[in-house]
Amino acid sequence: MYRLNLPQYEIKIGEKDGKRTIFDFLRRKYVALTPEEWVRQHFVHYLVEHKGYPKGLLGNEIEILAGPKHLRCDSILYNKVAQPQMIIEYKAPTIKIQQKTFDQISVYNLLLKVDYLVVSNGLEHYCCKMDYDHQKYLFLKDIPDYENL
């Protein structure tokens, strides 16, 4: 797989029906090993092991409803009262992060109204803090530690 701009962790790779899988420690199961999943697993481990995010407050592949449409957020961080606090969108390392990636995560945020939006392709990471009072967002230099959210 790809070398990422994220810390290494103890990766568990498997195989099912001749296809490679990777263990998702949030969903507690092996899932298809795609380039985007490779980024997701590295990123959630980074958040938990290096940024202090509680594993129990993170969820992967979270479905949200927009009228008749079913949307799926790559990862969501919830606060201690189970309200979404951060949406994280992943792309494969070969996918350049562009405006359409931010447009995609913004659609999710119209429904969830979180404090933070994060986008990563495993090589580049962007974090925005929402400022609803002034109807704008502020790019942060780094992903904040959990205690600073």
Side-chain angles (χ1 to χ4, degrees):
M1 267 295 151
Y2 301 91
R3 185 165 180 76
L4 303 177
N5 183 21
L6 290 163
Q8 292 293 315
Y9 73 98
E10 189 177 323
I11 302 165
K12 296 179 182 176
I13 302 289
E15 190 173 311
K16 182 177 182 182
D17 300 327
K19 298 193 184 210
R20 294 179 69 185
T21 59
I22 188 167
F23 187 73
D24 181 332
F25 81 129
L26 296 182
R27 291 181 273 182
R28 295 182 203 101
K29 67 179 184 176
Y30 281 88
V31 296
L33 177 53
T34 63
E36 183 178 306
E37 193 63 46
W38 181 253
V39 173
R40 180 195 336 263
Q41 293 309 314
H42 278 77
F43 203 89
V44 294
H45 278 272
Y46 166 67
L47 291 177
V48 171
E49 296 168 10
H50 297 271
K51 292 292 187 172
Y53 286 52
K55 178 181 165 185
L57 297 180
L58 284 163
N60 284 338
E61 292 285 317
I62 304 299
E63 187 173 77
I64 57 176
L65 298 175
K69 275 184 120 174
H70 293 258
L71 305 174
R72 190 173 303 274
C73 295
D74 288 340
S75 295
I76 294 180
L77 170 72
Y78 297 92
N79 63 22
K80 292 178 181 174
V81 293
Q83 297 295 318
Q85 185 174 16
M86 177 185 286
I87 303 170
I88 309 164
E89 179 65 28
Y90 309 106
K91 297 296 177 194
T94 56
I95 305 293
K96 185 172 173 50
I97 295 175
Q98 299 178 341
Q99 183 60 47
K100 66 181 183 178
T101 308
F102 289 98
D103 294 345
Q104 179 183 2
I105 200 170
S106 295
V107 168
Y108 302 153
N109 198 38
L110 288 172
L111 299 166
L112 300 178
K113 298 192 179 10
V114 299
D115 296 327
Y116 296 90
L117 301 176
V118 176
V119 175
S120 177
N121 66 1
L123 304 172
E124 298 178 292
H125 322 293
Y126 297 94
C127 182
C128 303
K129 179 163 180 29
M130 301 304 298
D131 180 352
Y132 293 104
D133 292 336
H134 299 99
Q135 297 184 343
K136 63 181 184 175
Y137 52 87
L138 308 166
F139 278 95
L140 304 179
K141 291 183 182 182
D142 194 11
I143 309 299
D145 291 343
Y146 179 74
E147 64 186 24
N148 295 326
L149 294 180

